[in-house]
Amino acid sequence: EPEVTQTPSHQVTQMGQEVILRCVPISNHLYFYWYRQILGQKVEFLVSFYNNEISEKSEIFDDQFSVERPDGSNFTLKIRSTKLEDSAMYFCASNKGAENTEAFFGQGTRLTVV
Amino acid sequence: AQTVTQSQPEMSVQEAETVTLSCTYDTSENNYYLFWYKQPPSRQMILVIRQEAYKQQNATENRFSVNFQKAAKSFSLKISDSQLGDTAMYFCAFMKHAGAGKSTFGDGTTLTVKP
């Protein structure tokens, strides 16, 4: 069964460093998302991406964040200068489109900023 | 903006018994989608069940079923014959429309199944 894959599963980075979280969505899906879950809290929407551009973003998704689909298969989330409060689980998700509603989630990347 | 409320932070149930997790939501939309996700200790998000708002019939998936009350904006999850492997955090989620719609999640309910 096709699945969304995320790498790495766990990343530790120093405060102020840049990190790139990688995702490979399901191949025939058209919509891509990043969500964040701070430990013990709810899952929060960050950004959605369609047709090679951002379709919606939340107030969390400030100038420190960017997304890219560099090669038609990978979907990346970059955090330019990490802060301690960026420590969280980051989930990538993809959705086929109008006829198939639910988003399929990856297994998540645990980001720890020290 | 849509909101999703799960009023039960924690619940427990004896193995083989039935438990119901509650979820309410607020929206002005008429067509939308509701989901229950399971998040075990591994923290992976696993879709349990989904419900399209235009369908009156409640969705069922094996031991999992929902009670969808559109007028009351209520979407509860019933787990029958609870198993130890059902121990997890459960999130209710709302999606405004198909395709590009983002999902809005509730705060989650931690369910513990006791042997």
Side-chain angles (χ1 to χ4, degrees):
Chain A
E1 185 175 330
E3 58 181 18
V4 177
T5 56
Q6 290 185 243
T7 54
S9 56
H10 189 193
Q11 171 119 28
V12 181
T13 188
Q14 294 234 322
M15 190 170 57
Q17 295 295 305
E18 174 184 286
V19 294
I20 297 176
L21 309 183
R22 303 181 191 279
C23 169
V24 179
I26 295 173
S27 62
N28 60 348
H29 283 193
L30 302 176
Y31 299 88
F32 314 112
Y33 311 85
W34 283 101
Y35 290 84
R36 178 182 83 174
Q37 186 186 29
I38 294 171
L39 185 63
Q41 298 185 23
K42 70 165 75 176
V43 178
E44 301 172 292
F45 167 77
L46 291 178
V47 65
S48 58
F49 193 85
Y50 170 70
N51 200 25
N52 284 318
E53 60 183 23
I54 290 173
S55 51
E56 187 176 357
K57 61 183 180 179
S58 73
E59 57 196 25
I60 302 169
F61 194 87
D62 60 21
D63 291 343
Q64 295 281 68
F65 293 90
S66 62
V67 289
E68 196 177 32
R69 191 161 158 76
D71 56 12
S73 64
N74 290 285
F75 178 51
T76 62
L77 174 69
K78 182 193 291 185
I79 309 175
R80 228 164 257 122
S81 177
T82 50
K83 305 186 285 286
L84 293 177
E85 53 265 37
D86 293 328
S87 294
M89 196 77 162
Y90 288 81
F91 291 101
C92 173
S94 69
N95 185 310
K96 191 174 182 179
E99 296 179 4
N100 193 330
T101 58
E102 72 262 27
F104 290 81
F105 282 78
Q107 78 278 23
T109 292
R110 186 189 303 268
L111 176 66
T112 303
V113 182
V114 297
Chain B
Q2 285 73 37
T3 58
V4 178
T5 302
Q6 292 179 249
S7 58
Q8 305 152 315
E10 295 180 3
M11 290 198 70
S12 64
V13 64
Q14 289 296 129
E15 195 175 6
E17 294 190 348
T18 295
V19 65
T20 299
L21 309 184
S22 65
C23 172
T24 59
Y25 57 94
D26 187 29
T27 184
S28 57
E29 302 289 328
N30 190 45
N31 291 322
Y32 48 87
Y33 304 85
L34 296 162
F35 308 94
W36 279 98
Y37 287 92
K38 172 184 177 181
Q39 188 179 44
S42 66
R43 298 190 71 186
Q44 185 172 1
M45 295 292 284
I46 303 165
L47 178 68
V48 174
I49 199 165
R50 77 175 193 191
Q51 174 82 42
E52 291 91 340
Y54 62 85
K55 289 187 178 178
Q56 291 188 334
Q57 187 174 8
N58 289 325
T60 63
E61 285 287 344
N62 301 314
R63 297 183 295 108
F64 299 88
S65 61
V66 298
N67 183 4
F68 173 50
Q69 302 288 328
K70 190 173 183 180
K73 296 179 182 173
S74 169
F75 182 61
S76 61
L77 174 70
K78 185 170 83 170
I79 306 174
S80 304
D81 186 25
S82 298
Q83 300 176 359
L84 296 178
D86 295 335
T87 293
M89 179 84 106
Y90 287 81
F91 289 97
C92 178
F94 172 102
M95 189 165 78
K96 191 165 64 174
H97 54 77
K102 67 181 184 187
S103 296
T104 301
F105 288 80
D107 287 337
T109 296
T110 301
L111 175 67
T112 302
V113 180
K114 298 179 178 178

